[in-house]
């Protein structure tokens, strides 16, 4: 069971049954982390939740996001710690809701995130201040209500001063969260603690503070880089290397690009430059924006230090095509927006049409190529499950 520290809200037990890759280590403490990309709820996904609520009879105010997220639950819930990146601001359960450029999404999505197996979320993103202080409060209140720990924004100075630390299989794990900026909005002068802007000195100080508060492991979630660009930018590479070489941060997980970017091991520290979208439905899908990755990290303590092995799980968001003039979908087309684990879905390939099999294989192979294009294969990066 995951114990929450430092004034955290209560959280239910994890789905890990103890037989994962971290179990039975003879060299010290061990645990696993599953971390994924941006969670963004566009209007089409809200309509999907409305449709699903009519089918399931579940949800709140006619919205059920559970079926949308359920495809990754077997992976996320098996990890000892599941970390999400919650990018948007939530509104009221009944709406109104808004999309880009100032997101206001149903709070019901937080329940589905928890149901998929996530335990905590980073909240510092370029959209954190889309609806000011009130939006930050609503978002954190919704995460609390769902039982999700969070870091990156705060409702008051005291909350901002507390490091988010959870106990995972006897290990105290801290998460810190930073973003490069806030789409032109400025952090209010009278609320400087409202959210975290990226600054090397501030990040280094936060890691040091987490250690002083007893953290054994520190994980950084960082919103950075260029959108829709599969290669990390020069500023990402420079900052990532500086963080790996000059701080004790154990793992860096990046977001914001909305497409998958590589992983790389720098001075012993894994950097996931960009995990793509966990779930989103952009107005103009590019093919790359539907592909994402779950980073799977196995921490093992050896002689007082942490050895981290990295793996990855390609994911994909199915998008139904537009109906024809008669209102019908093409034969064999997907009928619902769904987030899937690509390898797991391809294990049942006989149930898929040729077009879907080909699309899923492309997603897996392109993600694998991106993951490895900075030499991470030499440091042991591999898929959690091979392509069937």
């Amino acid at each position: 069971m995951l114990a929450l520290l430092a004034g955290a809200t209560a959280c239910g037990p994890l789905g890990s049954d103890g037989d994962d890759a971290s179990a039975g280590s003879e060299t010290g403490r061990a645990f696993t982390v599953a971390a994924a990309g941006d969670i963004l709820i566009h209007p089409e996904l809200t309509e999907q939740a409305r449709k699903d609520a009519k089918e399931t009879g579940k949800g709140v105010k006619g919205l059920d996001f559970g079926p949308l997220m359920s495809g990754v639950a077997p992976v996320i819930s098996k990890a000892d710690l599941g970390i999400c990146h919650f990018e948007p601001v939530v509104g009221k359960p009944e709406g109104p809701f808004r999309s880009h450029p100032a997101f206001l999404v149903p709070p019901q999505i937080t329940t589905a995130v928890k149901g998929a197996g996530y335990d905590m979320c980073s909240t510092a993103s370029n959209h954190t201040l889309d609806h000011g202080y009130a939006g930050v409060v609503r978002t954190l209140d919704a995460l609390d209500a769902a039982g999700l720990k969070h870091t990156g924004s705060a409702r008051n100075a005291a909350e901002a001063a507390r490091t988010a630390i959870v106990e995972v299989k006897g290990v105290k794990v801290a998460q810190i969260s930073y973003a490069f900026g806030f789409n032109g909005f400025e952090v209010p002068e009278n609320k400087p603690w409202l959210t975290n802007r990226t600054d090397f000195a501030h990040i280094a100080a936060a890691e040091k503070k987490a250690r002083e508060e007893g953290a054994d492991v520190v994980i950084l979630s960082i919103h950075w880089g260029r959108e829709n660009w599969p290669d990390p930018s020069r500023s990402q590479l420079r900052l990532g290397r500086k963080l790996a070489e000059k701080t004790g941060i154990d793992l860096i997980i990046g977001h914001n690009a909305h497409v998958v970017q590589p992983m790389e091991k720098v001075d012993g520290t894994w950097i996931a430059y960009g995990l793509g979208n966990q779930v989103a439905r952009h107005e103009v899908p590019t093919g790359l924006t539907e592909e994402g990755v779950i980073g799977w990290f196995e921490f093992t303590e050896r002689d007082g230090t942490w050895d981290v092995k990295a793996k990855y799980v390609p994911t994909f968001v199915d998008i139904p095509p537009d109906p024809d003039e008669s209102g019908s979908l093409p034969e064999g087309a997907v009928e619902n927006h769904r987030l899937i684990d690509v390898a797991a879905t391809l294990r049942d390939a006989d149930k898929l049409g040729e077009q879907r099999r080909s699309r899923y294989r492309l997603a897996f192979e392109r993600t694998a190529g991106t993951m490895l294009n900075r030499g991470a294969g030499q440091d042991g990066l591999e898929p959690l499950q091979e392509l069937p």
Side-chain angles (χ1 to χ4, degrees):
M1 180 180 292
L2 181 68
L4 301 186
L5 306 177
T9 55
C11 177
L14 288 168
S16 176
D17 54 14
D19 63 355
D20 56 68
S22 72
S25 169
E26 297 179 357
T27 54
R29 296 174 295 175
F31 66 99
T32 54
V33 173
D38 302 82
I39 291 176
L40 273 177
I41 302 302
H42 294 88
E44 294 85 352
L45 299 183
T46 298
E47 290 309 306
Q48 181 67 62
R50 200 178 310 280
K51 176 183 176 182
D52 286 331
K54 293 178 181 178
E55 295 290 330
T56 66
K58 299 178 182 179
V60 175
K61 299 294 183 180
L63 297 176
D64 181 7
F65 288 95
L68 172 68
M69 298 289 297
S70 63
V72 297
V75 175
I76 302 299
S77 62
K78 189 174 178 61
D80 297 312
L81 176 63
I83 296 177
C84 96
H85 180 59
F86 196 83
E87 183 164 3
V89 175
V90 306
K92 297 179 181 179
E94 65 278 5
F97 307 125
R98 300 176 188 171
S99 189
H100 187 270
F103 282 91
L104 196 63
V105 308
Q108 292 92 320
I109 181 60
T110 60
T111 303
V113 170
K114 178 65 177 178
Y118 286 104
D119 302 293
M120 62 192 309
C121 297
S122 55
T123 59
S125 80
N126 58 312
H127 290 289
T128 302
L129 300 182
D130 279 0
H131 297 276
Y133 174 70
V136 171
V137 171
R138 279 196 311 273
T139 301
L140 301 187
D141 285 350
L143 293 171
D144 282 344
L148 289 161
K149 181 76 170 161
H150 47 79
T151 182
S153 55
R155 288 161 288 205
N156 52 60
E159 182 175 44
R162 291 194 296 267
T163 304
I165 300 178
V166 297
E167 187 167 310
V168 185
K169 298 180 72 173
V171 181
K172 293 181 180 180
V173 181
Q175 185 191 11
I176 55 179
S177 169
Y178 287 79
F180 65 89
F182 309 105
N183 289 351
F185 294 107
E186 295 296 329
V187 178
E189 291 185 6
N190 64 338
K191 296 181 177 65
W193 36 260
L194 191 57
T195 189
N196 298 331
R197 185 189 294 272
T198 298
D199 176 270
F200 174 79
H202 291 169
I203 294 173
E207 188 251 337
K208 181 179 179 182
K209 181 174 181 290
R211 302 291 183 186
E212 292 171 350
E213 294 178 8
D216 301 301
V217 168
V218 178
I219 296 173
L220 168 65
S221 293
I222 186 165
H223 206 77
W224 61 356
R226 292 178 288 186
E227 292 190 3
N228 302 309
W229 201 263
D231 294 315
S233 66
R234 290 181 181 178
S235 62
Q236 277 178 281
L237 295 173
R238 285 196 300 267
L239 179 56
R241 180 165 294 279
K242 188 174 182 179
L243 288 165
E245 293 177 346
K246 297 184 180 300
T247 77
I249 291 170
D250 297 281
L251 173 65
I252 299 169
I253 47 180
H255 314 93
N256 180 59
H258 302 301
V259 297
V260 176
Q261 294 183 329
M263 289 191 196
E264 183 178 22
K265 197 172 189 179
V266 176
D267 199 32
T269 300
W270 280 106
I271 303 172
Y273 288 104
L275 297 173
N277 286 325
Q278 170 75 142
V279 63
R281 203 296 190 187
H282 295 272
E283 183 177 1
V284 182
T286 67
L288 295 178
T289 53
E290 290 74 70
E291 298 170 6
V293 67
I294 298 169
W296 180 274
F297 303 97
E298 299 169 356
F299 284 74
T300 304
E301 188 178 31
R302 291 191 172 93
D303 300 322
T305 62
W306 291 98
D307 175 70
V308 183
K309 293 182 178 179
K311 299 182 180 181
Y312 61 92
V313 180
T315 63
F316 186 75
V317 177
D318 272 324
I319 297 179
D322 293 330
D324 60 24
E325 294 180 357
S326 69
S328 301
L329 295 175
E331 183 178 355
V334 297
E335 299 181 3
N336 298 292
H337 292 84
R338 291 290 185 261
L339 170 61
I340 67 165
D341 172 342
V342 176
T345 302
L346 281 170
R347 285 201 299 270
D348 293 324
D350 292 343
K351 300 178 183 178
L352 306 171
E354 182 179 351
Q355 183 176 359
R356 290 175 67 186
R357 286 198 300 271
S358 297
R359 184 62 185 91
Y360 296 159
R361 290 185 69 90
L362 172 62
F364 189 102
E365 291 169 350
R366 184 155 56 191
T367 296
T370 301
M371 287 284 97
L372 299 172
N373 74 6
R374 292 193 62 83
Q378 299 175 10
D379 289 309
L381 181 64
E382 61 184 5
L384 185 63
Q385 299 177 30
E386 294 288 349
L387 184 64

